[in-house]
Amino acid sequence: MDEQQRPFTLWRGLRLSSFQIGSAMGEILITSIWNRILIVNFGIPATPVGLLIALRYLLSPLSLWAGNLTDNRQFFGLRRTPMIWLGRVLMVGSLPFLGLSVMRLGESTTDPWGWSFALISSLAYGVGTLISGGPFLALVRESAPERMQGVAISMAQTVLIIFFAVVGIVFSIWMRDYDLRVFWQMIIATMVVGGFFWFLAIVGIERKTQLPAADAQQPAAATHLGEVVRTIWSDRRTRLFFVFLSLGTLASWSHEAILEPFGANVFNLGMDVTTRFNSYWQTATVITLVIGGIVWRKRPPEAQQRVTSIGLLFMALGLLILVTAAVAGQRRLLEVALLVFGGGFGVYTYGGVSLMAVMSPDRHAGVYLGLWTISNLLFKGLGTFLGGAMRDLFLLQMNLAPGLSYGVVFLLQAVGLATAAALLSRIDILGFARDTGRHVKLVEAQVATAD
């Protein structure tokens, strides 16, 4: 590909990664601020608000459709860029409806127009996210040579995590208490700043190319999504990789809804303390992602299988420390557990996105990355739900002690991570890379000697 023949420089990587600034702004605005206004300030039950936010999970098959379309169709001589911009235009256009929903629901929580605006916003934002996310990852992957593809995607993911924290802090300072005027200012800022970076990050990155002649001769075989999905699913290696990715994602996020209640229920910690819990482990994640990018930057993505497993096992270790803290009431172990978990999460993320690049061959990279996107979205949401459900089961239904209730949840989460690591060891990543045309002879030698 032309993109892969161009050198992947630090500037090129940072420019592509700046795309995530708008993504972080939009996510924080919707999932942290808008939902809090509706639930806390307006007293609306969490269930309908949560369902609106979760709409994107139900629409996740759109990722496959968009990936397949950008694999096989060109618009104005480009494959990925038009779909990415179409998705981001939908996201920008959804934000004013977010403000309108707050205006109407602030006057009456049963206002039909308010709920209609909220539905329109959620649908447009969700569709935009889904049809642009996979093609963006495919563009990042194709913008680097094979040996740098993992680094390129990891850099984009690192910037996303960093700006989740940065935007969260900025927005929390900007609006300490609900103010409709300030909320509209945040919406406009997200539209302008996010839209600017969504455009700047990728304009001119993709070069105009012609699809291979074989595609023109056999359009039906090349573009039929069902046939492509059946081909992907018929390979045991891709099936196992999907299960591994889904299990790893589910287990990684099962703590999200219960971490702050855990600190309050077990240790009677105040909100000012528990709100820092996510900062602890996410800071450790960013640090290990940056270190990983430096230490393993010359290591090809095909060789990241063991690194990924090590990250999962460190996450499990962090959770076992958290189990000890919960059951034994050891407050001083909390920060240690979160830092170990976050460090492992960074290693797992770095290795995992590298393997995603390998498990997405050139011919159908958009569909493969769309499938991995579905796995991440669906099972992150499912993991968050299951963590809360298990906590309620043990604490409220079975009347176990708080420490034991949370400890069992964290223990099951650790078991899930260890199982994902064991499953990963059974996947022939190198064989898949070899069969799909990647250059792996040097990688095989490195793995045999270094690992």
Side-chain angles (χ1 to χ4, degrees):
M1 288 189 177
D2 290 337
E3 287 87 346
Q4 292 187 13
Q5 294 171 3
R6 299 162 69 184
F8 184 78
T9 62
L10 177 62
W11 162 248
R12 186 176 175 84
L14 290 175
R15 179 184 166 189
L16 279 165
S17 299
S18 69
F19 184 90
Q20 304 287 31
I21 295 174
S23 302
M25 293 180 73
E27 286 295 320
I28 294 295
L29 187 67
I30 293 173
T31 61
S32 292
I33 298 177
W34 177 73
N35 69 320
R36 178 181 172 85
I37 291 172
L38 265 58
I39 296 170
V40 177
N41 296 96
F42 297 170
I44 295 173
T47 300
V49 179
L51 285 175
L52 284 173
I53 294 175
L55 273 178
R56 75 184 72 179
Y57 302 133
L58 302 177
L59 299 171
S60 57
L62 284 172
S63 295
L64 291 176
W65 171 81
N68 185 64
L69 189 65
T70 60
D71 282 339
N72 298 285
R73 290 288 184 268
Q74 290 182 333
F75 302 91
F76 310 107
L78 301 172
R79 292 194 298 161
R80 314 294 186 191
T81 305
M83 183 61 72
I84 296 171
W85 277 342
L86 173 61
R88 298 295 144 158
V89 166
L90 283 173
M91 292 166 69
V92 169
S94 74
L95 296 178
F97 291 99
L98 202 67
L100 292 172
S101 72
V102 169
M103 289 178 63
R104 301 288 301 203
L105 293 173
E107 296 177 0
S108 171
T109 58
T110 59
D111 182 74
W113 278 108
W115 287 109
S116 297
F117 290 143
L119 179 61
I120 292 170
S121 180
S122 296
L123 283 173
Y125 191 89
V127 170
T129 301
L130 290 166
I131 68 173
S132 58
F136 170 68
L137 290 178
L139 178 62
V140 173
R141 177 189 177 278
E142 292 162 357
S143 298
E146 279 188 5
R147 65 181 181 84
M148 295 294 291
Q149 286 173 351
V151 174
I153 298 178
S154 294
M155 187 179 295
Q157 294 302 103
T158 301
V159 170
L160 179 62
I161 294 173
I162 290 173
F163 274 91
F164 273 144
V166 171
V167 173
I169 293 171
V170 171
F171 278 5
S172 67
I173 295 173
W174 195 349
M175 189 172 71
R176 297 182 183 275
D177 298 300
Y178 168 62
D179 185 316
L180 180 60
R181 181 180 58 84
V182 176
F183 185 63
W184 271 107
Q185 291 174 358
M186 289 180 171
I187 290 174
I188 295 171
T190 302
M191 294 174 67
V192 173
V193 177
F196 172 77
F197 281 107
W198 284 331
F199 175 80
L200 177 69
I202 63 172
V203 62
I205 290 290
E206 183 180 14
R207 291 180 173 179
K208 293 185 178 181
T209 58
Q210 292 294 323
L211 289 171
D215 295 348
Q217 295 170 3
Q218 297 178 327
T223 61
H224 194 282
L225 178 58
E227 184 68 25
V228 176
V229 172
R230 282 192 291 272
T231 300
I232 294 173
W233 205 250
S234 66
D235 191 323
R236 179 176 181 272
R237 296 167 297 189
T238 50
R239 291 199 307 272
L240 284 177
F241 189 76
F242 180 86
V243 175
F244 147 73
L245 201 61
S246 300
L247 180 58
T249 302
L250 183 148
S252 297
W253 292 98
S254 296
H255 69 280
E256 184 170 28
I258 64 172
L259 193 56
E260 291 190 38
F262 161 65
N265 293 154
V266 178
F267 298 102
N268 296 315
L269 300 176
M271 186 178 294
D272 58 331
V273 177
T274 60
T275 52
R276 301 175 197 159
F277 284 175
N278 283 328
S279 300
Y280 292 145
W281 75 264
Q282 288 177 359
T283 298
T285 296
V286 170
I287 291 172
T288 51
L289 276 170
V290 172
I291 293 174
I294 297 172
V295 175
W296 296 315
R297 69 186 185 281
K298 295 183 179 180
R299 187 182 178 94
E302 297 88 348
Q304 303 292 357
Q305 192 166 357
R306 184 164 296 183
V307 168
T308 307
S309 295
I310 291 172
L312 286 165
L313 293 176
F314 266 95
M315 292 168 68
L317 175 61
L319 287 166
L320 291 177
I321 298 174
L322 206 57
V323 171
T324 303
V327 176
Q330 297 295 314
R331 164 70 180 84
R332 65 181 182 275
L333 293 178
L334 289 184
E335 285 78 8
V336 174
L338 293 173
L339 290 174
V340 173
F341 176 86
F345 190 84
V347 175
Y348 162 63
T349 300
Y350 183 89
V353 296
S354 297
L355 297 182
M356 284 168 54
V358 177
M359 298 297 291
S360 305
D362 292 338
R363 178 64 188 84
H364 297 294
V367 180
Y368 278 87
L369 286 166
L371 184 61
W372 311 147
T373 299
I374 288 176
S375 171
N376 282 316
L377 284 174
L378 280 177
F379 286 88
K380 179 181 178 181
L382 182 59
T384 302
F385 168 76
L386 284 178
M390 287 190 295
R391 176 262 188 195
D392 290 347
L393 173 65
F394 298 133
L395 182 63
L396 303 180
Q397 301 299 320
M398 298 178 64
N399 292 317
L400 298 181
L404 182 59
S405 298
Y406 285 100
V408 173
V409 177
F410 296 142
L411 178 61
L412 292 174
Q413 189 179 355
V415 171
L417 292 169
T419 304
L423 181 61
L424 179 58
S425 67
R426 299 179 56 190
I427 305 174
D428 185 11
I429 300 290
L430 283 177
F432 182 87
R434 187 191 312 109
D435 292 346
T436 53
R438 294 179 71 92
H439 304 91
V440 299
K441 288 186 177 180
L442 179 60
V443 179
E444 291 172 326
Q446 289 178 342
V447 171
T449 56
D451 286 350

